[in-house]
Each structure stands twice: as C-alpha cells, then as structure tokens.
Amino acid sequence: MGETEKIKEPCRALLLEDNDDEAELVERALRKIDPKPVLSRARSAVEAQKYLNDLAACPDRTLFPLPHIILVDVRLGPESGLDFVSWCKGRAQFASISVVVFTGSNYPQALNTARNSGADAVEHKPVAFNELITIVQRIVKRWCDPALEVAFVA
C-alpha cells in the first residue's frame, strides 16, 4: 500500500462577541483567510459555556469537534469576557483550546488582568479593518495550528 495522505482539517473557531456589528467585522476578516476557518458564535458567556459543554458531552469528537481557538471580547454587556476565560481555562476538557482576548483598552493594568485570567494572548481591537484582517490572520496562524499555512485572500 502507498502512503496515506493526511487531510488537514480546517481551523475551528468560536467567537464570543455580543455586538453584532463587531462580530460581523471579525467574520468578514476571517473570510479573507485561506483556508477559511469554520466559525461558530456565542453572544454571551453563558451561551459559550453551554456550547462547549454540549460539545464536550458528545462521545464522537470526529462528529462534534471542539474549537481550536476561542476569540473573546472583554466586554460582553453585563458579563465579563475574562470571567469566561477563567471558567474555560479552569476545565481540563478545554485546556487544549487556545483563547485570545480582544480588548479596546491600551491600559497596562487592563492588559495584565486579561493575561492573568488565563488568556493565551491579548490583542488590541484595531479601528481599521485592514489591521483587523492582519491581526486575525496572525491569530489563526499562531494559535489555531502553527503548521497551517494561512494566506490573505484579496
């Protein structure tokens, strides 16, 4: 028999963002990446927790895989994205998932708090869409699968 060619699975991402406009921008930025990540979205920490717990309860990981990466907004209406990060990183079944926090703050204290919550990385939310594309591309390449070749699609 010949060598079996390994088929690379797409990056699976969960976006935790309560603001529809900001979620749309991240989704548009992800569509500019090739190969395109498979994206799910939760609008609250409770919704994201339920999503992850439901996936974790499924015995067949090939049919119901966990995301490779979770993109979390710091501010989620009345909730804190950092509380979700602490919850996620405090559970062994989700330890392999990379969590990246987006923040609009440049204050060192806020950035340190985000890092101390257990986030794998903290990224500043850019104002310009082209900057967002660059950041999202870097995040996917770094945290989703370091061996994944990610290209920008014009």
Side-chain angles (χ1 to χ4, degrees):
M1 288 199 92
E3 242 181 78
T4 304
E5 184 177 320
K6 184 178 178 185
I7 299 173
K8 189 168 263 317
E9 63 181 287
C11 174
R12 292 178 309 279
L14 172 61
L15 174 62
L16 177 48
E17 172 61 73
D18 64 330
N19 182 298
D20 290 337
D21 293 332
E22 291 188 16
E24 175 62 25
L25 288 174
V26 173
E27 290 168 10
R28 282 181 46 213
L30 285 168
R31 286 193 298 263
K32 297 279 187 185
I33 295 174
D34 187 40
K36 290 173 184 44
V38 176
L39 181 66
S40 299
R41 178 180 171 209
R43 289 173 172 79
S44 70
V46 171
E47 187 179 333
Q49 290 168 346
K50 181 176 178 354
Y51 175 81
L52 291 174
N53 283 327
D54 288 351
L55 287 177
C58 296
D60 189 346
R61 204 49 60 231
T62 59
L63 291 176
F64 301 99
L66 291 170
H68 294 103
I69 186 168
I70 303 173
L71 306 173
V72 180
D73 184 25
V74 167
R75 287 191 240 164
L76 298 170
E79 303 172 310
S80 166
L82 301 183
D83 290 339
F84 170 80
V85 173
S86 296
W87 174 87
C88 184
K89 288 301 189 172
R91 281 152 181 75
Q93 68 267 39
F94 307 131
S96 66
I97 302 172
S98 299
V99 178
V100 178
V101 171
F102 277 108
T103 179
S105 175
N106 279 325
Y107 294 110
Q109 179 66 26
L111 299 175
N112 287 335
T113 301
R115 286 185 191 94
N116 292 337
S117 72
D120 293 293
V122 180
E123 293 285 347
H124 186 267
K125 277 187 183 178
V127 176
F129 183 64
N130 284 340
E131 289 177 43
L132 179 63
I133 292 170
T134 301
I135 290 170
V136 168
Q137 182 179 14
R138 184 178 65 237
I139 289 170
V140 169
K141 186 170 185 167
R142 168 65 177 97
W143 295 105
C144 192
D145 182 351
L148 184 64
E149 287 300 319
V150 176
F152 173 73
V153 178

